[in-house]
Amino acid sequence: MQIVTVSKGPFEGQKPGTSGLRKKTRVFMEPGYLECFVQSVFNAIGGAQGKSFVVGGDGRYYNREAIQSILRMAAANGAARVIVGQGGLLSTPAVSNLIRQRGTDGGLVLSASHNPGGIDADFGIKYNISNGGPAPENITAGIFEQTRSISSYATLDTPDIDLSTVGPASLGGMVVEVVDPVTEYQALMETLFDFDRIAGLFKGGFTLRFDAMHAVTGPYAKAILEDRLGAPAGSVVNAVPSEDFGGGHPDPNPVWAKELMDLMMSDAAPDFGAASDGDGDRNMIVGRGVYVTPSDSLAVLAANAHLAPGYRAGLAGVARSMPTSGASDRVAAKLGINSFETPTGWKFFGNLLDAGKVTLCGEESAGTGSDHVREKDGLWAVLLWLNILAEAGRSVEQILTDHWAEFGRNYYSRHDYEAVPTEAAQAVMDRVSQRLGDLPGTVAAGQTVSAADSFAYHDPVDGSVSENQGLRVSFEGGGRAVLRLSGTGTEGATLRVYLEQYADPQADHGLDAETALAGVRDALLEIADLGTLIGRTEPDVRT
Ligand code: VG1
Ligand code: CO
C-alpha cells in the first residue's frame, strides 16, 4: 500500500456549527478542502490507527466523491474497518444506530441536512462519536484547532471502490463493509414499536402520505411503511433520493413541504401526513386538517409514549432545546419526570441520554428522538405517532385538542430572517444583549417584560458551560420571544425569532397561531428594533 501525503491547508473557516461543517458545495470541492477537514478530525481524535468508523450520507451532490475520498484517507490513516451504506447512502439516525450496534469508534455523516443540494447549493460533514451522537463542543473545538494548522493529509493512490454491492471489500488493508442502509435500522424499529398493531391500522383502511422530499428517507419509508406495514403502494412519495432533492429544500415544514400541507388541508386528505428532511433526522407531522408543531409533537409523544412497547416502562425524562416551546415541560411536570432545557443542537442531548436522565428529546426545528440512538430520528417519530394512533383509536386532531384541553396550548411560530448582512444581524443581537438588564418591568407594544437573559447551559453531567446560546425575553401572561443566529446557514446570517404564547386549558385553543402571537411579535420587534437595524419587519419564512 502506497500512502500518499498531500501538502494542503490550512483552509480558513472550517469551524463546525450547530451540526457539523456546512459550506457551499463548490467550497467543499476545492482540492483538499474536505480532506483537510477529515484529516483534522482524525488528528483531533488521536489518529485513526486501528479504529473503525461508519460513513454515509444523504445522497446529495458530491456525496459519492466525498465518500470515496474519506475511504482512501481512512485506509491511509490506518483505520481497520469502515462500514458504509450501499451506494453511499445512510440516514443520520441509521449512522447513529450502526455506530452503536457495531461498537465503532465513531462515524462521518455527509449531509447539509435540510439545506438544498447541488453544485451551487450546500454540502456538509459531521463527526459523530462512539455513543452514536454528534461530537460535543470540546471535540468540535479540538477539530477546529487542528484545521487551523493542518498542512497535509494522507491518502492512497487507488481507484474508487464499488459501493453498489452489499458485502465486504478491501482497500489497502482496511476492511470496507458495504451494508444495506435499511436492514439494521428497521430491525431497531421493530424492537420499539408494535408493528402488527400498526399494520392492523392500515388493514382497517387508515391512509397515509409520507413525503420523503427526494431525500434519504425514501428507501427507509418504502421498506418500512409500505413493504412491511402494508401502507398502500404510493403512500410514500418523492421516495427516490436525488442529488438536488428535486430542486427543492428538503426541509419538512409547512413552507417547503407545501404540496403535502395543501393535500392535508384539502378534502382529499389522508388520515396522516408526514415528511422528513435531507438526512432523515427531522420530521413533520400533519393530521387531516391540522398541523402539529414540532413543540406540540414532542409534548404529545411524551404524554403517550407508554402506548408503544419500547416505552411501556415510562420515561426517565424529557429534554428540549431552549427555543422549543414549554409544552413538553408541562407533560414532564404532570408525569413527575425530569425535564431539561438545552442549547440548540442535538449534541447537547447526548450526555443526558447517556446518563439515563432523559428518554425523549426534541427541538422546535422538527427534530424528535429518544434514547434508541443519539440523533433525532424522523421515521422513528412517524412510527411512534402511528403506534399511538393505533392504540388510542383517535385522530391526530382529537389527540391534539384533548392534549390542549388537559395541558393548555403553547401557541408557537418561528420567524426566520434569511441572508441578513452579518454585521446587521450582529447589531440586533448586540442591541438586545445590552438592554437585557434593563428590560424586566418595561412595557413594549403593550407587553410587560417579566424576565430577560442570555441563555447559558450548565451541563448537569459533565459540568461544562455553554454561554451565549440565545437571548430570551419573557412577558407577563405567558408570552416568550427568543432571538438567536443560525449556526447552519451558508450565506450571510439567518436571524431566528422564536415566538410563544401560552393559553391555559380553559382558554380558546382555536386561534390562528400568528394571530395568537401578534402581541409577542410586536413587542419583540420594538425591543430588537428590527425595522431600523435590518430594515425589515417581515420574515422570509414562518414555520
Ligand atoms: C438548525 C435548527 C436546530 C438543529 C440544526 C441541525 O440549527 O435550528 O434545531 O439542531 O439546524 O438540524 P440553526 O443553528 O440553523 O438554528 V439538521 O436536521 O441540520 O441535522
Ligand atoms: Co437533518
Side-chain angles (χ1 to χ4, degrees), residues 291-358:
Y291 166 66
V292 185
T293 69
S295 297
D296 276 347
S297 180
L298 175 64
V300 168
L301 294 182
N304 297 285
H306 61 275
L307 296 175
Y311 306 94
R312 204 139 274 162
L315 309 177
V318 184
R320 63 167 173 88
S321 68
M322 183 274 280
T324 304
S325 94
S328 61
D329 300 0
R330 294 177 186 278
V331 176
K334 193 149 194 171
L335 294 175
I337 58 175
N338 295 328
S339 71
F340 294 91
E341 187 176 32
T342 59
T344 294
W346 210 262
K347 57 184 175 230
F348 294 100
F349 293 132
N351 280 346
L352 296 172
L353 290 164
D354 284 350
K357 289 180 179 297
V358 299

Side-chain angles (χ1 to χ4, degrees), residues 78-99:
R81 169 185 289 262
V82 172
I83 298 165
V84 51
Q86 189 179 15
L89 290 183
L90 279 174
S91 75
T92 287
V95 170
S96 189
N97 180 47
L98 280 169
I99 293 173

Side-chain angles (χ1 to χ4, degrees), residues 197-520:
R197 198 74 198 225
I198 303 174
L201 201 60
F202 290 117
K203 270 203 201 84
F206 182 91
T207 50
L208 158 142
R209 164 80 56 105
F210 181 96
D211 191 339
M213 304 191 83
H214 308 276
V216 79
T217 40
Y220 294 83
K222 276 251 173 226
I224 296 174
L225 297 173
E226 292 189 7
D227 302 344
R228 172 67 175 85
L229 292 169
S235 299
V236 179
V237 297
N238 300 323
V240 180
S242 91
E243 290 197 330
D244 69 346
F245 308 113
H249 283 232
D251 193 350
N253 64 39
V255 174
W256 296 115
K258 188 171 182 308
E259 219 177 288
L260 175 66
M261 278 301 282
D262 288 348
L263 173 71
M264 296 308 297
M265 298 304 144
S266 77
D267 291 342
D271 295 302
F272 187 80
S276 190
D277 72 333
D279 61 328
D281 56 359
R282 296 187 180 201
N283 72 91
M284 178 173 86
I285 303 295
V286 206
R288 179 181 284 139
V290 56
Y291 166 66
V292 185
T293 69
S295 297
D296 276 347
S297 180
L298 175 64
V300 168
L301 294 182
N304 297 285
H306 61 275
L307 296 175
Y311 306 94
R312 204 139 274 162
L315 309 177
V318 184
R320 63 167 173 88
S321 68
M322 183 274 280
T324 304
S325 94
S328 61
D329 300 0
R330 294 177 186 278
V331 176
K334 193 149 194 171
L335 294 175
I337 58 175
N338 295 328
S339 71
F340 294 91
E341 187 176 32
T342 59
T344 294
W346 210 262
K347 57 184 175 230
F348 294 100
F349 293 132
N351 280 346
L352 296 172
L353 290 164
D354 284 350
K357 289 180 179 297
V358 299
T359 310
L360 294 196
C361 305
E363 295 192 281
E364 53 66 41
S365 55
T368 345
S370 88
D371 59 358
H372 68 290
V373 287
R374 292 293 179 275
E375 287 278 6
K376 51 191 188 267
D377 187 345
L379 205 46
W380 166 90
V382 171
L383 291 167
L384 181 50
W385 263 97
L386 290 173
N387 202 149
I388 290 169
L389 292 171
E391 289 290 338
R394 284 177 290 158
S395 69
V396 173
E397 185 176 16
Q398 275 170 319
I399 288 195
L400 200 59
T401 50
D402 290 352
H403 187 91
W404 293 336
E406 182 175 357
F407 297 97
R409 177 172 179 184
N410 292 69
Y411 284 103
Y412 193 86
S413 181
R414 186 178 92 190
H415 291 186
D416 290 335
Y417 295 81
E418 295 177 342
V420 176
T422 311
E423 299 87 71
Q426 196 53 52
V428 173
M429 297 301 284
D430 291 346
R431 177 185 159 84
V432 179
S433 297
Q434 283 151 12
R435 299 187 59 198
L436 286 172
D438 302 330
L439 282 175
T442 60
V443 178
Q447 302 265 339
T448 307
V449 176
S450 55
D453 69 356
S454 171
F455 179 57
Y457 179 60
H458 296 254
D459 187 308
V461 179
D462 68 11
S464 62
V465 179
S466 304
E467 288 176 329
N468 300 319
Q469 298 298 320
L471 306 175
R472 41 181 192 182
V473 184
S474 303
F475 301 96
E476 285 177 7
R480 184 181 77 146
V482 172
L483 265 180
R484 63 178 280 282
L485 298 178
S486 159
T488 58
T490 57
E491 236 175 280
T494 294
L495 184 65
R496 302 206 197 281
V497 178
Y498 308 81
L499 305 170
E500 176 177 1
Q501 177 65 56
Y502 179 62
D504 63 31
Q506 287 75 37
D508 184 357
H509 301 145
L511 297 176
D512 166 64
E514 298 297 333
T515 309
L517 293 164
V520 174

Side-chain angles (χ1 to χ4, degrees), residues 179-192:
V179 298
D180 178 83
V182 181
T183 310
E184 283 162 77
Y185 177 82
Q186 177 170 337
L188 175 67
M189 294 299 115
E190 301 225 22
T191 67
L192 298 172

